[in-house]
């Protein structure tokens, strides 16, 4: 594995600052789409030697919108990227989380990030050590269930075909939206057919009528700190992270 001194030498960012608003990572946040982040990170933790060494590290890449980023959660430690990093053991465990999630991201923007990062992972031949966590679509509900669901499964199929482990998550409760219900039901069917465990983040946050439960809500749409922690724990359980 990576020597403790090497891990300690990795530059840290300060949570909550302008250059790292939602995550806590081992290298400069950088520009994910251009690959500068992932390429630099892969080099630092020596993913290219995975096949020939006992290195057991893993990469966890989050894809989504403001709900995944935790944009509106004031408690930085409870924002999903940061909370996930802490929950899986931190840097000493050689497990690293990064997030491509941004407020307002549509399913098409999530797919752009997905495709770009998948290409980088394949180019570095680190598919076995990579986990892609996908929870996206809430900003594209107007496109309808078939469109959003189709793009989600296109992403999932591409990653699985490339050898990357996927953790598909349901869309969180959204005012009893029939489109959300449809997407989540179809995602459950896809997961059953593919033999993939679905991260059902909708169920524990649902008030029973398809809306976000007040105890877990900031504004009826975005989970609060407690809701975000619950959501992240569902990812962890589903993905055996």
């Amino acid at each position: 594995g990576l020597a403790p001194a090497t891990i300690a030498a990795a530059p840290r960012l300060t949570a909550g600052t302008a250059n790292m608003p939602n995550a806590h990572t081992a290298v400069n946040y950088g520009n994910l789409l251009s690959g500068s982040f992932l390429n630099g990170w892969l080099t630092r933790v020596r993913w290219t030697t995975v096949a020939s060494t006992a290195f057991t590290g893993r990469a966890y890449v989050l894809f989504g919108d403001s709900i995944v980023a935790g944009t509106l959660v004031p408690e930085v430690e409870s924002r999903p990227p940061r909370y996930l990093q802490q929950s899986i053991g931190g840097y000493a465990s050689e497990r690293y989380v990064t997030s491509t999630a941004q407020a307002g991201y549509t399913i098409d923007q999530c797919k752009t990030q997905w495709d770009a990062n998948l290409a980088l992972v394949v180019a570095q031949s680190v598919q076995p050590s990579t986990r892609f966590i996908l929870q996206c679509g809430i900003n594209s509900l107007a496109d309808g269930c078939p469109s959003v669901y189709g793009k989600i499964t296109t992403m999932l199929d591409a990653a699985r075909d490339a050898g990357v482990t996927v953790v598909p998550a349901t869309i969180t409760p959204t005012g009893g939206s029939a489109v959300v219900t449809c997407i989540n039901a179809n995602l459950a069917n896809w997961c059953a057919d593919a033999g993939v465990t679905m991260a059902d983040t909708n169920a524990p946050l649902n008030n029973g009528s398809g809306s976000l439960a007040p105890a877990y809500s900031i504004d009826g749409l975005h989970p609060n700190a407690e809701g975000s922690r619950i959501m992240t724990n569902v990812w962890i359980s589903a993905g055996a992270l």
Side-chain angles (χ1 to χ4, degrees), residues 36-179:
S36 62
F37 175 88
L38 192 55
N39 279 332
W41 174 75
L42 289 169
T43 299
R44 179 172 293 280
V45 299
R46 301 174 185 173
W47 283 101
T48 52
T49 64
V50 168
S52 60
T53 72
F55 181 60
T56 57
R58 284 185 182 173
Y60 302 91
V61 189
L62 301 177
F63 298 87
D65 45 44
S66 58
I67 292 175
V68 172
T71 306
L72 298 186
V73 177
E75 300 91 342
V76 173
E77 300 296 321
S78 294
R79 292 175 183 172
R82 179 66 180 267
Y83 183 72
L84 177 59
Q85 179 70 76
Q86 294 171 326
S87 298
I88 61 176
Y91 304 113
S93 66
E94 296 184 1
R95 298 185 176 199
Y96 298 86
V97 174
T98 189
S99 176
T100 72
Q102 292 191 37
Y105 258 17
T106 64
I107 192 66
D108 290 325
Q109 289 169 309
C110 287
K111 187 175 183 301
T112 296
Q113 290 282 6
W114 184 278
D115 292 345
N117 282 276
L118 180 59
L120 290 170
V121 167
V122 170
Q124 295 284 344
S125 300
V126 293
Q127 298 95 311
S129 300
T130 304
R131 305 290 182 268
F132 276 11
I133 302 171
L134 175 64
Q135 184 173 313
C136 191
I138 205 167
N139 292 317
S140 299
L141 298 183
D143 295 346
C145 176
S147 176
V148 176
Y149 166 69
K151 291 172 182 177
I152 289 173
T153 54
T154 295
M155 286 186 274
L156 296 173
D157 285 334
R160 291 184 75 240
D161 289 346
V164 173
T165 297
V166 296
V167 181
T170 54
I171 297 176
T172 48
T174 313
S177 168
V179 176

Side-chain angles (χ1 to χ4, degrees), residues 217-228:
S217 172
I218 292 175
D219 55 5
L221 178 65
H222 296 87
N224 59 17
E226 179 63 19
S228 294

